[in-house]
Amino acid sequence: MATRDLATSAQALLDLHRPGDPGVFPTVWDAWSAGLAVEGGFAALTIGSHPVADSIGRADNEGMTFDELLTRVRQISGAVDVPLSVDIESGYGETPERLIEGLLDAGAVGLNIEDTVHSEGGRLREATEHADLVGALRQAADGAGVPLVVNARTDVFLKQVGEEADRVDLAISRLRLCADAGARSLYPVGFHSDDVQRRLTAELPLPVNAIGNPAQGSRAHFAELGVGRVSFGPLWQMNLAERATELLTDWR
């Protein structure tokens, strides 16, 4: 895809980030699941590391390589014509320039970058360290002429960092640094109470990504909470796997 087309697609993805009227980007793992989502009427997709890894027999948390992930991204971008955002975990040990070059070449116009460093024992990047990485990704994308959507993620809730009473403040402070560094959306990943979700959307300066379970809840509920973007992580794949098991039970 030409740089001009990628830039248009990136802007289209960004325009779907609407606090109080969230874009829902189903999390897919191959051309088949992507086709299902697009046929269902969704205007953009996320490509999740966990479901992709499962689909090729690798472990989550960078059990696959960046090149293996890019192979899937190319297959998906060749099958559907909607903006794609890719979960690149903590970066697979690649440079920001290599990450951006690979994603754009594969047809993606957005990324998730998390602050857990899987190749270093699962440590959490320091707040400024993670923001610096976000800034380097922003600079590389801008240098390529594409306003790629950087979705900065923090795992402080998943990893239960610090005292529970302080965790929301910690996540907000970390993600504000990422916003200053050039992120376009912010992802305090986890399943939050309504009160916590409202605080996050009210106090963070950019659209907030929430994780949804397609078998539960609703877009309308996330809209009421001020969320700007909803993705599914591995949950859509897991729900389909449960349904497949039910279908096959009587055939054993």
Side-chain angles (χ1 to χ4, degrees):
M1 189 183 294
T3 298
R4 182 175 179 179
D5 294 334
L6 287 167
T8 300
S9 184
Q11 186 60 53
L13 177 63
L14 183 60
D15 289 345
L16 292 168
H17 291 66
R18 303 175 300 243
D21 181 24
V24 178
F25 310 146
T27 304
V28 303
W29 54 93
D30 60 9
W32 173 79
S33 56
L36 281 181
V38 171
E39 288 170 11
F42 293 94
L45 305 174
T46 51
I47 300 173
S49 63
H50 190 163
V52 169
D54 280 350
S55 75
I56 63 172
R58 299 286 190 269
D60 190 25
N61 300 331
E62 300 191 1
M64 64 181 166
T65 67
F66 184 50
D67 286 330
E68 286 176 322
L69 175 61
L70 289 180
T71 295
R72 271 291 198 245
V73 177
R74 290 189 186 94
Q75 292 166 351
I76 292 168
S77 67
V80 298
D81 186 22
V82 296
L84 303 174
S85 181
V86 181
D87 177 3
I88 60 169
E89 304 196 66
S90 57
Y92 299 94
E94 303 283 355
T95 66
E97 293 77 15
R98 161 72 172 133
L99 292 168
I100 295 300
E101 178 185 14
L103 290 171
L104 294 178
D105 182 66
V109 293
L111 64 83
N112 280 10
I113 184 71
E114 64 193 54
D115 51 6
T116 297
V117 188
H118 301 291
S119 61
E120 298 178 20
R123 75 174 181 87
L124 200 71
R125 288 190 178 101
E126 296 296 327
T128 54
E129 179 188 10
H130 191 50
D132 286 345
L133 176 55
V134 168
L137 291 165
R138 171 85 279 133
Q139 184 175 13
D142 291 349
V146 178
L148 184 140
V149 178
V150 177
N151 187 37
R153 169 176 147 171
T154 184
D155 289 352
V156 297
F157 294 102
L158 289 185
K159 299 175 80 70
Q160 298 185 343
V161 177
E163 297 295 326
E164 183 176 3
D166 301 328
R167 209 162 286 151
V168 176
D169 288 333
L170 178 61
I172 289 171
S173 67
R174 292 177 70 92
L175 291 176
R176 281 177 174 166
L177 291 176
C178 293
D180 291 341
R184 294 294 181 262
S185 59
L186 304 171
Y187 192 12
V189 65
F191 295 99
H192 308 301
S193 69
D194 287 358
D195 287 344
V196 167
Q197 191 68 70
R198 285 191 182 94
R199 270 203 66 194
L200 292 167
T201 58
E203 297 182 33
L204 286 169
L206 295 174
V208 172
N209 189 161
I211 184 169
N213 184 339
Q216 302 172 7
S218 68
R219 178 184 179 278
H221 184 66
F222 280 118
E224 190 272 329
L225 297 175
V227 167
R229 160 180 173 158
V230 179
S231 53
F232 295 150
L235 296 172
W236 185 34
Q237 186 188 56
M238 290 177 177
N239 288 325
L240 290 177
E242 291 176 3
R243 180 59 178 144
T245 299
E246 293 173 4
L247 290 171
L248 294 173
T249 295
D250 291 338
W251 292 89
R252 287 182 296 192

XYZ file of all heavy atoms in Angstrom, residues 19-71:
382
model
N -14.510 9.196 22.304
C -14.972 9.048 23.689
C -16.485 9.237 23.803
O -17.042 10.215 23.303
C -14.216 10.164 24.416
C -12.964 10.347 23.611
C -13.405 10.165 22.179
N -17.138 8.274 24.405
C -18.586 8.313 24.533
C -19.329 7.735 23.350
O -20.546 7.559 23.402
N -18.610 7.440 22.284
C -19.186 6.819 21.079
C -18.102 5.914 20.481
O -17.635 6.135 19.369
C -19.627 7.894 20.088
C -20.256 7.323 18.826
O -20.763 6.181 18.865
O -20.218 8.009 17.783
N -17.685 4.896 21.232
C -16.428 4.217 20.908
C -16.459 3.414 19.615
O -17.470 2.789 19.269
C -16.233 3.270 22.101
C -17.615 3.022 22.621
C -18.336 4.325 22.417
N -15.336 3.440 18.917
C -15.133 2.489 17.845
C -14.871 1.120 18.451
O -14.110 0.993 19.408
N -15.526 0.107 17.909
C -15.294 -1.271 18.350
C -14.465 -1.964 17.280
O -14.884 -2.059 16.117
C -16.614 -2.023 18.579
C -16.344 -3.473 18.983
C -17.447 -1.311 19.647
N -13.277 -2.424 17.687
C -12.331 -3.041 16.764
C -12.128 -4.506 17.167
O -11.287 -4.812 18.016
C -10.986 -2.311 16.804
C -11.076 -0.809 16.664
C -10.187 0.012 17.323
C -12.049 -0.215 15.876
C -10.252 1.392 17.206
C -12.132 1.170 15.751
C -11.224 1.977 16.420
N -12.928 -5.426 16.611
C -12.777 -6.826 16.986
C -11.328 -7.298 16.830
O -10.639 -6.922 15.871
C -13.705 -7.553 16.010
C -14.753 -6.540 15.675
C -14.022 -5.233 15.631
N -10.896 -8.105 17.767
C -9.526 -8.595 17.763
C -9.475 -9.919 17.019
O -10.061 -10.915 17.452
C -9.007 -8.759 19.194
O -9.143 -7.501 19.877
C -7.543 -9.163 19.200
N -8.752 -9.919 15.899
C -8.723 -11.062 14.991
C -7.332 -11.684 14.970
O -6.374 -11.133 15.518
C -9.160 -10.644 13.577
C -10.550 -10.018 13.617
C -8.160 -9.667 12.943
N -7.215 -12.825 14.296
C -5.950 -13.566 14.317
C -5.573 -14.155 12.965
O -4.464 -14.641 12.793
C -6.015 -14.676 15.361
C -7.196 -15.596 15.198
C -7.230 -16.783 14.504
C -8.515 -15.393 15.697
N -8.492 -17.329 14.558
C -9.303 -16.500 15.304
C -9.122 -14.386 16.478
C -10.648 -16.616 15.624
C -10.465 -14.511 16.803
C -11.204 -15.610 16.388
N -6.480 -14.130 12.000
C -6.165 -14.643 10.667
C -7.136 -14.035 9.661
O -8.024 -13.264 10.028
C -6.183 -16.176 10.614
C -7.549 -16.773 10.983
O -8.531 -16.009 11.123
O -7.627 -18.005 11.137
N -6.957 -14.393 8.388
C -7.802 -13.816 7.349
C -9.262 -14.211 7.530
O -10.173 -13.423 7.258
C -7.299 -14.254 5.972
N -9.506 -15.441 8.006
C -10.882 -15.915 8.199
C -11.599 -15.094 9.259
O -12.711 -14.601 9.025
C -10.851 -17.391 8.591
C -12.186 -17.944 8.985
C -13.195 -18.328 8.150
C -12.662 -18.172 10.317
N -14.276 -18.784 8.887
C -13.973 -18.701 10.211
C -12.110 -17.988 11.585
C -14.730 -19.047 11.327
C -12.863 -18.329 12.700
C -14.152 -18.848 12.572
N -10.992 -14.930 10.424
C -11.649 -14.159 11.487
C -11.796 -12.697 11.085
O -12.800 -12.054 11.412
C -10.875 -14.286 12.803
O -9.525 -13.884 12.654
N -10.811 -12.169 10.368
C -10.916 -10.787 9.894
C -12.087 -10.633 8.937
O -12.847 -9.660 9.015
C -9.616 -10.368 9.217
N -12.256 -11.602 8.044
C -13.369 -11.547 7.112
C -14.713 -11.601 7.817
O -15.650 -10.880 7.449
N -14.813 -12.429 8.860
C -16.044 -12.490 9.634
C -16.385 -11.135 10.243
O -17.534 -10.688 10.205
C -15.908 -13.524 10.760
C -16.059 -14.996 10.427
C -15.908 -15.825 11.709
C -17.407 -15.293 9.775
N -15.381 -10.489 10.825
C -15.612 -9.209 11.486
C -16.028 -8.132 10.489
O -16.934 -7.340 10.754
C -14.367 -8.789 12.252
N -15.368 -8.099 9.349
C -15.703 -7.083 8.356
C -17.090 -7.348 7.779
O -17.887 -6.412 7.587
C -14.624 -7.042 7.255
C -15.073 -6.148 6.099
C -13.310 -6.537 7.831
N -17.406 -8.609 7.521
C -18.747 -8.940 7.036
C -19.809 -8.576 8.074
O -20.954 -8.272 7.725
C -18.820 -10.433 6.717
C -18.058 -10.824 5.463
C -17.949 -12.337 5.312
O -18.647 -13.067 6.059
O -17.161 -12.778 4.454
N -19.416 -8.564 9.352
C -20.329 -8.175 10.413
C -20.524 -6.677 10.532
O -21.302 -6.223 11.380
N -19.796 -5.897 9.733
C -20.014 -4.460 9.681
C -19.017 -3.607 10.441
O -19.242 -2.395 10.583
N -17.916 -4.183 10.904
C -16.941 -3.410 11.665
C -15.960 -2.711 10.727
O -15.503 -3.281 9.738
C -16.212 -4.313 12.658
C -17.128 -4.820 13.744
C -17.766 -6.049 13.610
C -17.392 -4.046 14.861
C -18.629 -6.509 14.592
C -18.255 -4.497 15.847
C -18.879 -5.726 15.712
N -15.627 -1.457 11.081
C -14.880 -0.585 10.173
C -13.374 -0.620 10.392
O -12.623 -0.034 9.606
C -15.372 0.854 10.317
N -12.915 -1.258 11.449
C -11.478 -1.390 11.715
C -11.289 -2.611 12.603
O -12.224 -3.059 13.281
C -10.920 -0.136 12.384
N -10.064 -3.134 12.617
C -9.773 -4.352 13.360
C -8.487 -4.200 14.154
O -7.590 -3.441 13.774
C -9.610 -5.549 12.414
C -10.752 -5.856 11.448
C -10.338 -6.980 10.511
C -12.021 -6.221 12.206
N -8.407 -4.954 15.237
C -7.135 -5.138 15.918
C -6.664 -6.569 15.672
O -7.469 -7.491 15.523
C -7.266 -4.895 17.436
O -8.353 -5.663 17.955
C -7.521 -3.423 17.720
N -5.364 -6.741 15.631
C -4.755 -8.060 15.479
C -4.035 -8.356 16.784
O -3.090 -7.658 17.160
C -3.784 -8.094 14.284
C -4.533 -7.763 12.990
C -3.099 -9.453 14.184
C -3.637 -7.604 11.780
N -4.509 -9.371 17.504
C -4.036 -9.613 18.856
C -2.901 -10.613 18.915
O -2.955 -11.668 18.279
N -1.891 -10.304 19.714
C -0.737 -11.200 19.817
C -1.124 -12.558 20.389
O -0.642 -13.599 19.918
C 0.348 -10.562 20.681
O -0.108 -10.362 22.012
N -1.980 -12.557 21.420
C -2.352 -13.823 22.051
C -3.090 -14.748 21.080
O -2.686 -15.911 20.893
C -3.178 -13.529 23.301
C -3.417 -14.717 24.176
N -3.829 -14.604 25.486
C -3.325 -16.049 23.949
C -3.967 -15.811 26.019
N -3.675 -16.689 25.096
N -4.171 -14.279 20.438
C -4.846 -15.174 19.497
C -3.998 -15.540 18.283
O -4.097 -16.669 17.784
C -6.105 -14.405 19.098
C -5.880 -13.000 19.496
C -4.929 -13.015 20.630
N -3.162 -14.620 17.797
C -2.275 -14.981 16.685
C -1.309 -16.077 17.122
O -1.100 -17.070 16.408
C -1.505 -13.757 16.151
C -0.398 -14.200 15.187
C -2.444 -12.797 15.442
N -0.698 -15.907 18.290
C 0.230 -16.920 18.781
C -0.460 -18.268 18.910
O 0.080 -19.311 18.502
C 0.825 -16.482 20.119
N -1.674 -18.277 19.467
C -2.430 -19.523 19.571
C -2.651 -20.150 18.200
O -2.572 -21.376 18.040
C -3.785 -19.274 20.232
C -3.702 -19.169 21.746
O -2.629 -19.470 22.306
O -4.714 -18.778 22.375
N -2.918 -19.326 17.207
C -3.276 -19.841 15.885
C -2.097 -20.475 15.164
O -2.286 -21.241 14.214
C -3.877 -18.722 15.024
O -2.883 -17.834 14.552
N -0.873 -20.160 15.585
C 0.303 -20.753 14.938
C 1.096 -21.652 15.884
O 2.238 -22.021 15.593
C 1.225 -19.670 14.333
C 1.800 -18.750 15.414
C 0.486 -18.863 13.278
C 2.865 -17.784 14.877
N 0.491 -21.993 17.009
C 1.139 -22.927 17.915
C 2.278 -22.350 18.720
O 3.206 -23.068 19.124
N 2.215 -21.048 18.996
C 3.231 -20.396 19.812
C 2.598 -19.918 21.122
O 1.386 -19.825 21.240
C 3.835 -19.192 19.080
C 4.526 -19.519 17.774
C 5.869 -20.193 17.996
N 6.610 -20.282 16.755
C 6.553 -21.312 15.911
N 5.791 -22.357 16.225
N 7.242 -21.322 14.787
N 3.450 -19.586 22.078
C 2.966 -19.056 23.353
C 2.792 -17.550 23.258
O 3.496 -16.878 22.497
C 3.948 -19.391 24.467
N 1.843 -17.026 24.046
C 1.722 -15.582 24.174
C 2.959 -15.055 24.901
O 3.808 -15.819 25.354
C 0.445 -15.246 24.947
C 0.107 -13.770 24.924
O 0.515 -13.066 23.987
O -0.571 -13.311 25.855
N 3.062 -13.751 25.022
C 4.200 -13.100 25.680
C 5.490 -13.316 24.901
O 6.519 -13.729 25.431
C 4.343 -13.575 27.130
C 3.122 -13.280 27.959
O 2.407 -12.312 27.704
N 2.838 -14.128 28.946
N 5.393 -13.029 23.587
C 6.519 -13.063 22.660
C 7.095 -14.452 22.464
O 8.297 -14.629 22.258
C 7.578 -12.025 23.069
C 7.009 -10.614 23.065
C 8.040 -9.500 23.191
O 9.245 -9.794 23.267
O 7.619 -8.331 23.217
N 6.209 -15.449 22.495
C 6.622 -16.795 22.108
C 6.769 -16.936 20.606
O 7.350 -17.911 20.126
N 6.234 -15.993 19.844
C 6.465 -15.938 18.399
C 7.393 -14.769 18.102
O 7.638 -13.907 18.952
C 5.148 -15.786 17.637
C 4.406 -14.501 17.891
S 2.846 -14.423 16.977
C 2.066 -13.033 17.821
N 7.903 -14.730 16.899
C 8.787 -13.644 16.492
C 7.986 -12.533 15.820
O 6.835 -12.736 15.407
C 9.859 -14.136 15.506
O 9.215 -14.524 14.276
C 10.626 -15.329 16.080
N 8.613 -11.386 15.699
C 7.973 -10.276 14.999
C 7.699 -10.650 13.550
O 6.642 -10.324 13.003
C 8.862 -9.039 15.084
C 8.267 -7.802 14.474
C 6.989 -7.382 14.800
C 9.000 -7.045 13.565
C 6.442 -6.223 14.247
C 8.465 -5.880 13.012
C 7.183 -5.479 13.347
N 8.610 -11.358 12.916
C 8.399 -11.766 11.524
C 7.227 -12.732 11.395
O 6.482 -12.670 10.404
C 9.670 -12.394 10.955
C 10.743 -11.364 10.652
O 10.378 -10.212 10.330
O 11.939 -11.691 10.734
N 7.050 -13.627 12.353
C 5.889 -14.515 12.318
C 4.598 -13.715 12.439
O 3.605 -14.001 11.756
C 5.987 -15.553 13.434
C 7.025 -16.632 13.156
C 7.191 -17.598 14.306
O 7.143 -17.159 15.475
O 7.380 -18.810 14.036
N 4.594 -12.715 13.312
C 3.427 -11.853 13.437
C 3.157 -11.115 12.132
O 2.007 -11.024 11.673
C 3.633 -10.859 14.579
C 2.552 -9.797 14.786
C 1.196 -10.437 15.101
C 2.955 -8.830 15.899
N 4.205 -10.584 11.504
C 4.027 -9.842 10.259
C 3.458 -10.714 9.144
O 2.695 -10.224 8.298
C 5.361 -9.239 9.813
C 5.886 -8.069 10.649
C 7.219 -7.581 10.085
C 4.884 -6.918 10.712
N 3.820 -11.989 9.129
C 3.240 -12.891 8.135
C 1.729 -12.914 8.252
O 1.000 -12.831 7.258
C 3.805 -14.313 8.313
O 5.209 -14.294 8.035
C 3.115 -15.298 7.375
